[in-house]
Amino acid sequence: MSVLTTVPGSAPAEEEPPDTGERHRLTSVTGLAALSLDAMASVAYGPEAIVLVLAAAGAHGLGFTLPVTLAIAGLLAVLVASYRQVIAAFPDGGGSYAVAKAHLGKRTSLVAAGSLVLDYVLNVAVAVTAGVAALTSAFPALYEDRLWLCLAVLVLITGVNLRGIVESARVFIAPTAVFVASIFALIAVGLFRSGPVSTEAAAGHASGLADSATTVGALLLLKAFASGCSALTGVEAIANAVPSFRVPRVKRAQRAEVALGAVLGVMLIGLSVLISRFHLQPVEGVTVLAQLADASLGHNWAFYVVQFATMILLALSANTSFGGLPVLLKLLARDNYAPHVFALKADRQVHRHGVLALAVVSAALLVFSGGDTNTLVPLFAIGVFVGFTIAQVGMVRHWRLEQGPGWRGKALLNGFGALLTGVSAVVVTATKFEEGAWLIVIALPLLVLAFETVHRAYVRIGERLALGRVPEPPHRDRSIVIVPVSSLSRLTSEALTAAVSLGDEVRAVTVCPPDTEDRAQAHALARDWADWNPGVPLIPLTSEHRALGRPIAAYVRETAAAAPDAQVTVLIPEVEPERLWQRLLQNQRGAVVAHAVRRDTDAVICRLRFRLG
């Protein structure tokens, strides 16, 4: 069994569990369920984002909903085609990070990675808050508890993902199928309606339509296009997590990517057609999707099925990030841009540390926002547009270098997509800068700086360890083993037995505080030690301030200075309790001594565990 190397500065080798069977990986169907929830759920807020912008131009502006949606659907087709090629060209995953690393240089690849990290984290926070918002809209009494509900949903999703990506996919197949079926049913029924069958959901709510119509200019259309492009977040997730699929990974991932694009495109266009047909307008407190369900299906059980399916899928769409970010962090760790711990795998093919890190940061964002979606939405989607643009620019360079059959057409397609997503990134950042987008503008360079700092640290460590060079042959030094003791017991005997097996010279040390009671105990230990006569000297160390670690560390320094050619080892005996809860009963003396010795000396620390039971 291979293990992860623990030598700092070297790229970690992946730890594979004994069972490396394909059953813990994704099929095309389970991959669609596990990695497309973000994109699927975006139909709940993508069309609404377009309508909210166009409403500023009055009813005339809303007439452009379908053209703007068709433009977004065209961009979606470009992105799906592009990421299908990314999957084939970079089967190890990583998406825009892998493309940029291969064709655009180190710094650009780190920008891509940073944008993906931000997008994944924000997606979790936005998805959870949006799902809980749908719940509190149906049950207003829960509104004050929305933060705790958000954290509870996050804990649930994290727990499912710690059991493995396949387990999470199986859990999410049913909600995804119900949601997609509900939206398709809504669209199909609505297409046969000449007008809305019900407007009860919007009754009594203030209209969000501007009182006076204004000219629909290019800037307004660009802003609507950029806002609606939030529906495209998550399209890249499958390309980022190709290693999670079963063999043949590339074909399965490509099928899932195409299926995602087809389903998402049909839903977006279908909903926009109904918005135009029913002449819907935004109202306060009711989502556009809820109005469409009301108008198409009526205010009955079918309406509530759509609402609950939307609520559940929005909350669970955070799973896309849990599938993609741990794989990205693994690649960054492999390249020494992230801590190597992120490359470790648990059983069930889970990058557990990446899952937990994502959960912790997302929880902090939820607390920061108070569980409010509107606080987080201005920060959302900027990172993914940056990643889209970088990926497609990199693919243009990829085609130019490959120059295979039809490379000019493919490069032109990717170049056109890069232009569209680049414009969208600029427009979204400019229009939402004062609403909070400035935070992403600051956070992205800081994240890139953090990656480079980690990399420089690993390079320095690697140089000091002379990694990549043949070291000197090992040789034997004189060894001195120091054993801290506080009383005579079986633990003391086991520790001295281990110590004499390790070193040429063994010394036991005990710390003697100045109190009368402590001095009496020290004298009793010295008397018992002499009677026991283990063949190891007991050296008392005075401590005027009742400190435990500092006197031992000072003695270790003195020993090392007196014998510079010797290897000094501190062997710390500790009890391993029979029950986990019994660790609370321990005095943690061993941890205190280990910390002091590690901080103040270069001695080797060996912690001997004596198991009870």
Side-chain angles (χ1 to χ4, degrees):
M1 179 177 65
S2 62
V3 296
L4 180 73
T5 177
T6 56
V7 178
S10 62
E14 203 171 276
E15 180 182 350
E16 292 289 349
D19 179 11
T20 57
E22 292 293 301
R23 66 189 182 89
H24 291 306
R25 300 185 186 271
L26 299 170
T27 64
S28 296
V29 174
T30 56
L32 190 64
L35 301 173
S36 69
L37 294 178
D38 177 16
M40 295 288 189
S42 65
V43 301
Y45 50 80
E48 182 162 10
I50 299 173
V51 169
L52 287 173
V53 173
L54 294 177
H60 179 60
L62 291 179
F64 288 87
T65 300
L66 183 56
V68 171
T69 303
L70 289 174
I72 293 173
L75 177 56
L76 171 63
V78 173
L79 288 173
V80 169
S82 175
Y83 276 103
R84 189 173 181 276
Q85 299 302 325
V86 170
I87 290 169
F90 299 92
D92 290 334
S96 57
Y97 169 68
V99 176
K101 179 187 170 187
H103 299 299
L104 300 178
K106 181 186 74 172
R107 181 64 59 85
T108 306
S109 71
L110 295 181
V111 172
S115 67
L116 284 173
V117 169
L118 291 174
D119 179 61
Y120 279 138
V121 173
L122 286 167
N123 172 60
V124 172
V126 170
V128 171
T129 55
V132 171
L135 176 65
T136 56
S137 296
F139 304 99
L142 299 175
Y143 183 78
E144 296 300 326
D145 298 320
R146 63 190 184 280
L147 176 58
W148 294 109
L149 290 172
C150 288
L151 294 175
V153 171
L154 178 62
V155 169
L156 174 64
I157 298 172
T158 303
V160 171
N161 277 276
L162 287 175
R163 289 187 56 81
I165 191 169
V166 170
E167 295 296 330
S168 69
R170 289 170 180 162
V171 170
F172 299 147
I173 283 178
T176 304
V178 171
F179 176 78
V180 173
S182 300
I183 298 299
F184 279 166
L186 184 159
I187 294 171
V189 173
L191 290 176
F192 289 97
R193 304 278 192 193
S194 57
V197 68
S198 170
T199 58
E200 184 177 342
H205 294 267
S207 173
L209 199 65
D211 294 332
S212 57
T214 59
T215 304
V216 181
L219 183 59
L220 184 66
L221 292 176
L222 276 176
K223 186 176 179 181
F225 175 81
S227 296
C229 278
S230 60
L232 302 180
T233 57
V235 172
E236 79 291 348
I238 293 174
N240 293 339
V242 179
S244 299
F245 284 83
R246 291 182 186 175
V247 175
R249 309 195 202 289
V250 170
K251 288 188 178 296
R252 291 183 186 274
Q254 286 179 328
R255 292 191 197 112
E257 185 73 44
V258 172
L260 168 61
V263 173
L264 180 58
V266 170
M267 289 195 294
L268 288 174
I269 295 173
L271 292 176
S272 294
V273 169
L274 294 186
I275 290 172
S276 300
R277 169 169 291 198
F278 296 147
H279 304 290
L280 292 186
Q281 54 184 263
V283 297
E284 295 180 6
V286 181
T287 65
V288 168
L289 186 60
Q291 291 186 68
L292 286 173
D294 196 30
S296 178
L297 304 174
H299 205 79
N300 48 35
W301 64 269
F303 169 82
Y304 288 103
V305 167
V306 173
Q307 290 302 99
F308 277 101
T310 304
M311 174 196 70
I312 293 172
L313 203 73
L314 275 168
L316 298 183
S317 64
N319 194 68
T320 298
S321 296
F322 283 98
L325 182 59
V327 175
L328 176 62
L329 289 177
K330 180 200 76 170
L331 296 177
L332 287 168
R334 185 189 65 188
D335 296 335
N336 292 328
Y337 288 110
H340 288 172
V341 69
F342 289 120
L344 280 171
K345 271 188 180 179
D347 55 355
R348 299 175 181 267
Q349 302 294 320
V350 180
H351 293 95
R352 184 171 294 164
H353 295 89
V355 170
L356 292 175
L358 176 58
V360 170
V361 177
S362 300
L365 272 177
L366 291 174
V367 173
F368 165 75
S369 67
D372 182 28
T373 308
N374 294 328
T375 304
L376 297 167
V377 166
L379 311 179
F380 195 41
I382 297 175
V384 76
F385 285 137
V386 173
F388 283 162
T389 306
I390 290 175
Q392 297 199 85
V393 171
M395 288 306 293
V396 170
R397 185 170 176 79
H398 174 77
W399 297 128
R400 291 183 61 185
L401 294 175
E402 292 288 330
Q403 294 196 357
W407 73 271
R408 293 182 186 277
K410 295 176 181 177
L412 182 62
L413 182 67
N414 291 134
F416 180 64
L419 176 64
L420 291 179
T421 54
V423 169
S424 299
V426 172
V427 172
V428 171
T429 304
T431 55
K432 297 184 177 181
F433 188 82
E434 294 183 355
E435 300 176 37
W438 60 269
L439 186 60
I440 301 300
V441 175
I442 294 175
L444 184 54
L446 289 179
L447 197 54
V448 172
L449 180 63
F451 291 150
E452 292 181 332
T453 301
V454 169
H455 186 72
R456 284 195 297 269
Y458 277 131
V459 169
R460 286 196 300 269
I461 293 171
E463 290 174 350
R464 292 174 184 173
L465 292 177
L467 293 177
R469 298 193 293 270
V470 178
E472 296 180 359
H475 59 278
R476 192 179 190 282
D477 288 331
R478 176 190 171 204
S479 179
I480 301 175
V481 182
I482 299 172
V483 184
V485 299
S486 58
S487 62
L488 284 186
S489 65
R490 185 178 172 187
L491 178 63
T492 309
S493 176
E494 293 284 346
L496 293 183
T497 299
V500 297
S501 302
L502 291 173
D504 301 312
E505 181 181 349
V506 178
R507 306 174 189 177
V509 296
T510 185
V511 177
C512 305
D515 296 350
T516 303
E517 182 181 352
D518 292 323
R519 284 202 302 269
Q521 291 180 356
H523 290 320
L525 175 61
R527 183 179 60 253
D528 294 341
W529 194 274
D531 293 340
W532 183 37
N533 191 21
V536 174
L538 177 65
I539 302 171
L541 306 176
T542 58
S543 174
E544 297 181 359
H545 303 288
R546 299 190 62 82
L548 177 64
R550 285 198 297 270
I552 295 176
Y555 179 77
V556 171
R557 288 198 304 271
E558 294 172 4
T559 302
D565 59 337
Q567 173 65 63
V568 179
T569 300
V570 180
L571 189 147
I572 304 172
E574 296 177 295
V575 172
E576 183 74 21
E578 189 174 5
R579 297 286 185 269
L580 182 63
W581 68 268
Q582 292 174 343
R583 294 183 181 181
L584 299 174
L585 307 179
Q586 295 178 292
N587 56 26
Q588 305 300 321
R589 290 169 61 94
V592 172
V593 172
H595 174 72
V597 173
R598 183 182 297 110
R599 181 190 59 198
D600 298 333
T601 76
D602 294 327
V604 174
I605 299 174
C606 178
R607 300 179 75 167
L608 175 68
R609 303 284 185 176
F610 180 75
R611 296 183 181 275
L612 297 178

